[in-house]
Amino acid sequence: MSAVLETSLGDFFPLLSTGKVREIYKLPAKQLLFITTDRISAYDIVLSNGIPQKGAILTQLSEFWFRYLSTQIPTLHTHFLSSGIPPQILSTLPPHLQTPSLTRRSMTVKSCRVFPIESIVRGYLSGSAWSSYQKDKTVNGISLPPNLLESSKLQTPLWTPSTKAAPGEKDENISPVRAAEIVGTEYCDKIAALSLQIYQIAATYALERGIIIADTKFEFALDESVDPPEVVLVDEVLTPDSSRFWSKEKYEAGRSQESYDKQPLRDWLVKTGQKGKDGVKMPEDIVEATTKRYQEAYEKLVGKEWDPAVD
């Protein structure tokens, strides 16, 4: 089964942006078409080959969370409108494009103005937070107790925002005070409160299914089509690409943890001296190992087996 590295729908809809993984097209009625390809990046470089069905898995998992969170937080607003491509629009595409391979990796969303910050919640001390803590016992300017270990569970989850960097640049961790300066205190408080509430609900749900959500990144936008404007949850939600998922069974503080994500790829790049290099192609065993991680995360969280045959 081959990976979908691009969608090439520009002849049918205006292409608004192409990221490392996702392509966004403009639809009528202030709607957008989000399509997640099978491209994969590591250390800010996109690999020359992809992970078959990764885009469909990420999309289906995001859609699951949008629906689940809306049942748990009735006041939550999201940009999610529907799975796949609206039938009246799909019917305008050539027959060879009207396939499950395209629709399973697509979702239709409301067009909103995205806030220029990344909303990160950390329940455990890992990644850049661990590096920061080792230097001065702080994370994003927030003081933490001494003697914490790598991967320690935090007493209470932290909201640790970052800037939303332009393509080709890196996000910068910032304090909540700086985030308020960027988006305004009212919206900042709303984003922080929603992020922590969503994280707590999702972390509890995932832990019951054997997965620790160590940290995750959310994005929010402002829906200005309503009065007063509403803060809405957007982009992908609680996927292996936006979160750090660990095995509850294998968890042990004091060391790094295996993740349900692209860790096999990162390890291989480092081992072979190809970290940060362009034009690298993954061998088949790394593709298979990475695919297995994504599928396992989906199956544990959604509670049903991933069906690769649909594509």
Side-chain angles (χ1 to χ4, degrees), residues 228-248:
E230 295 173 337
V231 174
V232 298
L233 178 65
V234 301
D235 203 63
E236 66 178 319
V237 179
L238 295 157
T239 72
D241 273 16
S242 66
S243 314
R244 209 182 303 263
F245 292 158
W246 296 339
S247 166
K248 174 185 175 181

Side-chain angles (χ1 to χ4, degrees), residues 1 12 19 31 38 71 181 183 192 194 215 217 238 264-265 297:
M1 184 175 294
F12 310 99
Q31 296 180 2
D38 294 331
T71 67
E181 293 173 351
V183 302
L194 276 173
D215 53 54
K217 179 196 74 174
L238 295 157
L265 170 58

